[in-house]
Amino acid sequence: MDTTAAFDALVCTDCGADHDPAATARRCPDCGGALSAEYDYDAVDLSRGTLSGRRFDGVARYGDLLPLARDALVTMNEGTTPLVPCPAVAEEIGVGEVYVKDEGANPTGTTADRGLALAVAAARAHGAEKVALPTTGDAGQSAAAYAARAGIESEAFVPTRSTFVTKAMTNVHGGEMSVVEGRYPDAVSAFESAMADEPDWHSLAPFDSPYRHEGAKTLLYEVVEQLDWDVPDAVVHPTAHGLGVVGSHRAAADLEALGLTEEAPALHVAQPETCAPIVAADDAGDDDVEPWEQPDTLIGALEVTEPAGGALALDAIRETSGWAIGVSDDDALESAVTFAAEGVEMSATGGVGAAAAHELAEGGQLGDDDTVVLVNPVAGTKENDVLRSHLMRKGI
């Protein structure tokens, strides 16, 4: 693998064992735990000045703090998404400033592009001819796009409730797709059965590949730069498996270790209250999540009953003094459409984070001078059906 000078090893987040990235493509071979990249920060020559002189070319901008060399990435200039100020919403919520980090501006309209740019590149470096993953939908489209660019095949296992546009665009990008009757856990089961029969396939399942959460961390790098190196008081992540919040946690640690910042933002997790395993685990004081027995939410992208990164997400929350908040579907949808008055095409998924910000402000977890960043993980146009249905129910 063509790696960066500072990338030391892959370290197991469970047992702490070190592994050679050239020989390890998936989880820890010793215990099955998720792997995380470790860096020699002394080998990183990165400053605010050097970054200011670089062009914005997607996640490659932060190549010094990524495992793969810039010219080894499979990139479509993902990242460098807008950070949109929303003063009317800030006034309504009762905080100093609100910004939306609009990940819908990524190449396939989802924040998953950040991680899959790295994960597909790593798969190619390992000699993969086909990548596969279970997904609620958006990551399947993203994987198909990046695999096509890398010249390899892809297959997504999606539940029947996945949106039409993600299923259609997965095929448009040339990806194969297995539509599985039922919900996301059924898609996971089908994926695992297929992987057992196809040992040459390369898994891109969340936290199976250590590179997806490494790509996700570039979001917080950008936010801090876009705020002229002022660290926001809070970042609210709508959360399924935990890739986004875990990535932001890693990013905050990187920035502090390099002396680029002096503190981390409070990292908050937002989930639909009818499928909120991380919220339940945090409320109970548990170190890991228990499977959610009966999911029932209109926000299909977040209907993940057993988050693969649940324990790591809990660490991110607790180590940054964050909170895990569950919100109703109605509040999430209403929050999403409210942002239209600011010109922001917030998705239903993003609305979960926006509704959680209201709850956090009302509960006193956000102050009246705080700067709050809401992550919109997916383009509103990809979830137009559920947003339109919400308006129709209101008689609009």
Side-chain angles (χ1 to χ4, degrees):
M1 293 180 70
D2 187 3
T3 59
T4 53
F7 178 36
D8 266 356
L10 292 172
V11 179
C12 179
T13 57
D14 285 350
C15 72
D18 288 4
H19 298 286
D20 179 1
T24 309
R26 199 173 175 184
R27 286 179 170 267
C28 175
D30 296 340
C31 73
L35 297 178
S36 188
E38 185 171 274
Y39 299 89
D40 175 7
Y41 291 116
D42 291 335
V44 178
D45 182 17
L46 192 66
S47 67
R48 297 182 183 185
T50 56
L51 283 170
S52 68
R54 289 183 183 173
R55 62 186 289 266
F56 282 90
D57 55 356
V59 298
R61 175 177 179 77
Y62 306 104
D64 312 71
L65 289 167
L66 296 176
L68 301 177
R70 286 185 180 87
D71 57 5
L73 296 176
V74 180
T75 182
M76 294 187 285
N77 283 4
E78 60 291 316
T80 63
T81 56
L83 186 68
V84 185
C86 298
V89 174
E91 183 176 357
E92 177 195 347
I93 294 176
V95 298
E97 295 179 295
V98 167
Y99 293 88
V100 172
K101 184 61 169 164
D102 193 2
E103 292 292 276
N106 276 300
T108 75
T110 171
T111 193
D113 290 348
R114 294 178 183 271
L116 286 165
L118 268 69
V120 169
R124 182 176 65 178
H126 278 283
E129 296 182 359
K130 186 168 187 174
V131 294
L133 75 167
T135 171
T136 55
D138 293 309
Q141 177 185 344
S142 179
Y146 282 91
R149 194 166 180 86
I152 59 181
E153 297 180 337
S154 71
E155 177 142 1
F157 292 80
V158 301
T160 47
R161 70 167 304 179
S162 179
T163 64
F164 172 80
V165 66
T166 57
K167 288 186 283 193
M169 292 306 297
T170 297
N171 288 151
V172 168
H173 285 297
E176 297 180 31
M177 182 172 53
S178 295
V179 180
V180 181
E181 187 68 32
R183 296 179 180 269
Y184 178 69
D186 301 297
V188 173
S189 295
F191 160 77
E192 291 174 344
S193 296
M195 288 294 293
D197 294 336
E198 302 286 351
D200 293 335
W201 288 8
H202 188 103
S203 173
L204 297 184
F207 294 96
D208 263 11
S209 165
Y211 302 99
R212 285 187 66 178
H213 41 289
E214 280 300 293
K217 72 183 185 180
T218 59
L219 181 147
L220 187 66
Y221 295 162
E222 290 178 14
V223 166
V224 173
E225 267 204 278
Q226 288 168 314
L227 292 175
D228 294 326
W229 296 99
D230 285 336
V231 176
D233 297 286
V235 180
V236 184
H237 280 279
T239 299
H241 282 287
L243 288 163
V245 71
V246 171
S248 287
H249 191 209
R250 292 188 53 73
D254 288 345
L255 294 173
E256 287 187 75
L258 291 171
L260 294 169
T261 61
E262 296 180 354
E263 58 188 352
L267 298 175
H268 302 296
V269 158
Q271 296 190 295
E273 63 185 11
T274 50
C275 186
I278 295 174
V279 176
D282 189 47
D283 288 348
D286 295 337
D287 293 329
D288 204 347
V289 298
E290 294 291 334
W292 193 268
E293 293 297 332
Q294 293 182 314
D296 183 23
T297 175
L298 295 171
I299 319 298
L302 300 183
E303 196 180 76
V304 171
T305 57
E306 193 170 2
L312 295 173
L314 290 166
D315 289 342
I317 295 165
R318 291 165 182 170
E319 291 177 16
T320 64
S321 300
W323 290 74
I325 301 292
V327 300
S328 71
D329 284 1
D330 282 345
D331 285 348
L333 294 170
E334 186 59 26
S335 292
V337 300
T338 296
F339 275 84
E342 295 265 31
V344 176
E345 293 189 355
M346 180 78 79
S347 62
T349 302
V352 173
H358 280 272
E359 297 281 345
L360 289 163
E362 290 175 4
Q365 287 84 40
L366 297 178
D368 56 10
D369 290 327
D370 281 358
T371 296
V372 181
V373 174
L374 307 179
V375 178
N376 182 35
V378 60
T381 52
K382 295 183 75 173
E383 297 180 346
N384 61 325
D385 53 346
V386 67
L387 294 173
R388 180 60 182 155
S389 295
H390 175 71
L391 291 176
M392 291 176 68
R393 292 201 335 261
K394 294 174 63 178
I396 299 174

